[in-house]
Amino acid sequence: MSNEPGGPTAAQPDQSEAVEPGVDDHSDTGQPAPAPTALALLATGWLAAMLWSTREAISSATAGVTAVSLSAFALPGVISAALVAGAAVGLAVGEPVARRTERVTLRFAVAVGAGLLVGLLAALAIDLTYAGDVTTRTIAGTTAAAAVIGGALAGARNGAVVGAVVAAALGTLVFVVAFSVARDPLFDLFGAGDSQQSLVNAASWVSRTESLLAGLIAGGLAFGYLTWARRRAARDGGGAGPRWPAYLVAGAGPGLLLLLTEVIIRIGGRSLIDLAAALSEADAVAQTSLGTSRVDNAIWVLFVGALTAVVSFGRTLGSPADDEA
């Protein structure tokens, strides 16, 4: 009789399975990304650095045609930085909402609003500090659009994957800029000489080396971030953590963002690219060549990053023999 309902020794419900009303355990939505605020600060800092370096380059131009050419060359770096910053800030603002509600529309709206705020601030900074001409308006408008798109991407359901993509993409962008120091030594290493053919061959090998290393870094960072998220989820008792498709998407994410950057440039920045290409035949060839090179680089980063992340995840899995033992 002591086990009757209401008795002192009556069976109690399993407290480990009880869930408070209104609390989302994230079993379906993915675990909260670690340190999204730190990612947002780093990404916005990188965007500010890109805006400042672009302004300095344009301000140092001695002629208007040079300023147009430099603006076109600098546009991809600014757009990619704005895309990543919008996603990072959108993630940082949207994650607290994701923990408190399952309303996907609200989470998406908050992330887009954060991206919009980043875009407006960046556009305002460009309008106030750059020379007020058609190139300035093109850079400002395209930068704002990229940040809003980044915020929309941050509204995705799985915050850990978004955080991994943002971290990996940011690391890839920093590496590409840092790699410029090694380009001249690599040109000599790959046999660049006085002939045009040797220069073309050397440039091709330098580009492939840069893309391969960028893909490895992207995949490694994506794997590291998701592994951190999985361990944090296990420590907090939040579930099993992301599985291999999440690693595939996160590893490919930086390459996809680079391809998306190219789409934004060719739509929003088309007037600036066409203006720079119209300066001379050499400028036209340069803009075409750079566009093709950026697409090739993005594809390399996409596939190498995805392969690196998935293989790294696979190496952490035990063999069937180990599981049976």
Side-chain angles (χ1 to χ4, degrees):
M1 299 296 293
S2 62
N3 287 330
E4 292 180 357
T9 60
Q12 299 297 323
D14 187 358
Q15 296 298 322
S16 63
E17 297 179 359
V19 179
E20 294 181 19
V23 176
D24 184 10
D25 65 356
H26 293 275
S27 59
D28 295 326
T29 60
Q31 300 302 321
T37 302
L39 273 181
L41 292 175
L42 290 173
T44 52
W46 181 252
L47 173 59
M50 289 294 98
L51 292 176
W52 178 83
S53 63
T54 300
R55 175 188 175 279
E56 290 299 306
I58 296 174
S59 300
S60 64
T62 57
V65 292
T66 305
V68 170
S69 181
L70 289 174
S71 299
F73 286 133
L75 186 62
V78 174
I79 299 307
S80 58
L83 187 62
V84 172
V89 175
L91 177 66
V93 176
E95 275 297 285
V97 177
R99 296 191 190 103
R100 291 174 173 81
T101 180
E102 294 183 355
R103 296 176 60 185
V104 178
T105 303
L106 177 60
R107 185 166 63 246
F108 180 79
V110 170
V112 172
L116 177 61
L117 179 61
V118 172
L120 291 177
L121 291 176
L124 181 62
I126 292 171
D127 284 333
L128 293 178
T129 58
Y130 287 35
D133 52 23
V134 64
T135 61
T136 297
R137 291 191 294 272
T138 300
I139 295 175
T142 311
T143 300
V148 173
I149 294 173
L153 295 177
R157 189 174 181 85
N158 197 313
V161 173
V162 175
V165 172
V166 170
L170 182 59
T172 302
L173 295 179
V174 174
F175 165 77
V176 169
V177 173
F179 186 81
S180 60
V181 179
R183 285 195 178 98
D184 288 341
L186 285 178
F187 263 96
D188 296 335
L189 179 64
F190 291 130
D194 296 331
S195 66
Q196 184 68 24
Q197 187 61 41
S198 67
L199 291 174
V200 172
N201 290 337
S204 177
W205 279 106
V206 170
S207 178
R208 291 171 185 172
T209 301
E210 178 183 357
S211 300
L212 176 61
L213 293 176
L216 291 173
I217 290 173
L221 289 174
F223 167 75
Y225 191 99
L226 284 180
T227 300
W228 184 17
R230 184 175 60 181
R231 290 175 179 174
R232 180 179 178 180
R235 184 177 66 248
D236 296 342
R243 299 183 178 182
W244 75 266
Y247 288 84
L248 177 66
V249 174
L256 293 174
L257 287 185
L258 291 176
L259 288 175
L260 181 57
T261 296
E262 191 63 24
V263 172
I264 296 172
I265 291 171
R266 298 194 178 195
I267 296 177
R270 170 54 60 185
S271 60
L272 177 57
I273 300 299
D274 290 343
L275 188 60
L279 295 176
S280 67
E281 184 177 351
D283 284 292
V285 172
Q287 291 300 327
T288 302
S289 176
L290 287 173
T292 302
S293 178
R294 290 194 299 267
V295 173
D296 290 343
N297 175 68
I299 293 174
W300 272 81
V301 172
L302 190 158
F303 285 104
V304 175
L307 182 63
T308 301
V310 171
V311 170
S312 299
F313 173 68
R315 290 177 62 86
T316 65
L317 301 178
S319 64
D322 295 336
D323 294 338
E324 292 176 0

